[in-house]
Amino acid sequence: MERTVVRCADGHVFSTASFPMQQAERLGPGRLMRCPRCARLRNVVPVALEKR
């Protein structure tokens, strides 16, 4: 299972195994998930990782 690195609305960066409806462009990139750092439901967006 592929992991996705995301950033919550408070700026916390974490990875998740499931990023619901990742390919649904009409809904935009953000999803509502529980942030493990602040323990609240937050809007999260995928983080663009630089390739080395």
Side-chain angles (χ1 to χ4, degrees):
M1 180 172 280
E2 186 176 329
R3 298 193 64 82
T4 304
V5 178
V6 294
R7 180 185 323 268
C8 84
D10 282 346
H12 303 134
V13 177
F14 59 97
S15 66
T16 180
S18 64
F19 194 66
M21 300 186 316
Q22 192 169 5
Q23 301 301 322
E25 292 180 26
R26 66 182 179 85
L27 297 175
R31 301 290 176 262
L32 191 63
M33 297 182 94
R34 186 167 304 277
C35 174
R37 180 129 182 242
C38 57
R40 295 184 179 186
L41 284 176
R42 298 281 187 203
N43 186 43
V44 299
V45 294
V47 174
L49 299 175
E50 63 180 57
K51 296 185 179 184
R52 295 180 179 189

